[in-house]
Amino acid sequence: MTSTVVLYIDYRSPFSYLVKEEAYALARDFDVTLCWKPFTIDLQGAYGGEVEERTDRDWRKVRYSYMDARRLAARRNWIIRGTPKIFDPTLAHTGMLLASKTHNSVFRRYHDTLCARFWCGEFDIEDAGAIRALLIEAGAAGHAFDEMVASGEGGRQCRAIAAEAEARGVFGVPTFVLQETGELFWGTDRVWLLRERLSDKL
């Protein structure tokens, strides 16, 4: 029986980038429908408010998180650089919604390219033109993105998904949810537990 696994990510989280290969492997190794969904986390609440409001302790948390992310990225020869500000991910998440509704290969090209460029410091996720161009590059329709942005539908869907995630108990990213049971698996280091659950179903 096919299992459905929902994966909540936020493009501003390096760990949402780092989990992608494990996520792809789940869909490859098991009879799984993997549904990617955007979840905009409260970075200000988690790390002491706006950048200029952070205490020394808040900055220690931020520095350690980036250190951990870079160590994990280095094992794959990926680059993760610190971001200059707290970005609004709504446009990038709208692009994710659009890409995920098309062919899986389109989503992967959009997702992989956005993550790699953003974490190299080469992509602005608040730039609608850049998001639109990337969607077209990946094989999606640019006009569909324009409509979602102009109508506000992209933002509305993102907020509705976040509310649904909160109701499920999601509090951070990346979080996998096994649809059949509602069980949550948070973080890049808990994927093996999800794999165990899926193995038990074989």
Side-chain angles (χ1 to χ4, degrees):
M1 185 179 89
T2 301
S3 296
T4 298
V5 174
V6 179
L7 173 53
Y8 294 99
I9 65 165
D10 185 332
Y11 280 127
R12 302 170 303 167
S13 161
F15 297 99
S16 289
Y17 176 26
L18 290 165
V19 82
K20 72 184 183 77
E21 296 303 329
E22 286 89 344
Y24 294 153
L26 282 176
R28 183 187 67 233
D29 297 342
F30 297 94
D31 185 13
V32 160
T33 298
L34 185 62
C35 300
W36 297 73
K37 294 191 178 185
F39 180 70
T40 302
I41 55 177
D42 178 11
L43 289 177
Q44 288 90 338
Y47 295 104
E50 299 297 333
V51 171
E52 61 275 8
E53 297 172 337
R54 289 173 176 166
T55 65
D56 287 342
R57 183 178 183 277
D58 295 324
W59 277 113
R60 287 198 298 272
K61 288 167 60 180
V62 171
R63 285 193 291 269
Y64 180 84
S65 292
Y66 271 111
M67 180 181 69
D68 237 9
R70 289 190 183 105
R71 288 189 294 202
L72 292 168
R75 299 177 67 189
R76 304 175 186 183
N77 293 317
W78 294 355
I79 295 172
I80 288 180
R81 295 195 172 104
T83 58
K85 66 173 187 175
I86 298 176
F87 286 89
D88 179 347
T90 304
L91 291 173
H93 286 172
T94 298
M96 182 205 302
L97 291 172
L98 180 60
S100 65
K101 291 176 183 174
T102 56
H103 195 275
N104 187 52
S105 62
V106 173
F107 170 76
R108 287 189 61 160
R109 284 195 293 271
Y110 173 81
H111 181 71
D112 292 355
T113 305
L114 186 150
C115 287
R117 291 178 184 173
F118 177 65
W119 289 107
C120 283
E122 299 171 353
F123 193 86
D124 183 354
I125 61 172
E126 293 181 347
D127 185 336
I131 299 292
R132 187 183 195 278
L134 178 54
L135 283 165
I136 294 171
E137 179 184 332
H143 67 85
F145 175 72
D146 296 339
E147 292 169 3
M148 290 184 75
V149 172
S151 66
E153 182 60 24
R156 283 193 291 272
Q157 288 189 29
C158 288
R159 290 189 293 275
I161 290 169
E164 169 196 77
E166 293 277 0
R168 285 178 152 181
V170 175
F171 58 88
V173 292
T175 294
F176 294 84
V177 181
L178 185 56
Q179 187 89 336
E180 290 85 346
T181 63
E183 190 173 5
L184 274 61
F185 303 83
W186 173 56
T188 55
D189 56 346
R190 294 295 182 270
V191 182
W192 66 272
L193 280 172
L194 175 55
R195 293 182 70 90
E196 280 192 351
R197 292 291 186 277
L198 294 171
S199 295
D200 291 343
K201 294 167 64 67
L202 296 177

